[in-house]
Amino acid sequence: MHTTRLIAALGVVPAVAVLTACGSMSSGPMAPAFNQSSLPPTIQVPAGNKVAMETVGKGDITYECRDKANVPGQTEWVFVGPDAKLWDRGGKQVGKYYGPPATWESNDGSRLTATQLAVAPSGPTSLPFQLVKANPAVGTGAMTGVTYIQRVALQGGTAPATVPCTPATKGQKQVVQYQADYIFWKAS
């Protein structure tokens, strides 16, 4: 009888060990908070703010061939607006980014627009780094209290380079794919 209890007890130990290991894999150590020290100073969020949410935006940017401002007879690709989904670091969709005007919206319904403060080059084929100051959020949720948003870790999104924009193609639109991290900050 003692042997049966001992064998049963020993069978529980591996099961507990496996469950403990699985639990620690899913929760694991927290990833370090976003570090902005490698960004150009003009893109860094001022002291007194802390990272509230990190997202990855994946989607499209639309450009339209239009007359170049103040240059009669010349045309250029003009940014029309973004259409992207926002994903958390675990791969779950948590919101969307669209415009105009540029709007970040959480799945909980809270949303905000922002005013651009600064941009800085990020690479020849990518959108620039960007820092915006958030306007007050509409609705209550994840966007409530956001003070700044940084656009970093950019891939793609620049105006079409292989499709010409000429007076003959004026009005045509082109869509390009892009990806960027959007770092949301709140006052600390």
Side-chain angles (χ1 to χ4, degrees):
M1 185 139 140
H2 291 297
T3 307
T4 306
R5 285 187 189 154
L6 181 60
I7 291 172
L10 290 175
V12 170
V13 171
V16 170
V18 168
L19 290 174
T20 302
C22 288
S24 66
M25 280 191 284
S26 62
S27 58
M30 292 291 291
F34 175 76
N35 183 339
Q36 65 175 347
S37 64
S38 65
L39 294 174
T42 55
I43 304 304
Q44 293 184 17
V45 172
N49 293 277
K50 64 180 179 187
V51 173
M53 180 171 51
E54 297 182 36
T55 64
V56 178
K58 295 180 185 179
D60 300 321
I61 294 181
T62 301
Y63 288 90
E64 183 175 349
C65 183
R66 296 183 184 167
D67 287 324
K68 195 177 248 188
N70 302 319
V71 186
Q74 291 188 21
T75 54
E76 65 183 343
W77 288 111
V78 176
F79 178 89
V80 174
D83 181 17
K85 292 182 171 129
L86 298 176
W87 307 86
D88 68 13
R89 297 288 190 206
K92 176 183 173 195
Q93 185 181 348
V94 295
K96 57 188 174 179
Y97 173 55
Y98 56 90
T103 303
W104 294 263
E105 184 174 332
S106 172
N107 285 348
D108 63 22
S110 61
R111 68 183 184 280
L112 58 80
T113 59
T115 303
Q116 180 173 287
L117 298 177
V119 294
S122 71
T125 60
S126 297
L127 293 172
F129 294 119
Q130 181 183 48
L131 176 64
V132 298
K133 182 161 182 46
N135 297 319
V138 174
T140 304
M143 297 300 172
T144 304
V146 169
T147 52
Y148 294 92
I149 305 167
Q150 286 173 316
R151 182 177 67 196
V152 297
L154 295 127
Q155 298 174 26
T158 57
T162 58
V163 179
C165 173
T166 66
T169 60
K170 197 165 48 171
Q172 289 186 2
K173 292 183 179 179
Q174 291 289 316
V175 176
V176 296
Q177 292 184 335
Y178 90 108
Q179 178 175 318
D181 287 2
Y182 291 97
I183 311 299
F184 295 82
W185 297 73
K186 293 184 180 183
S188 45

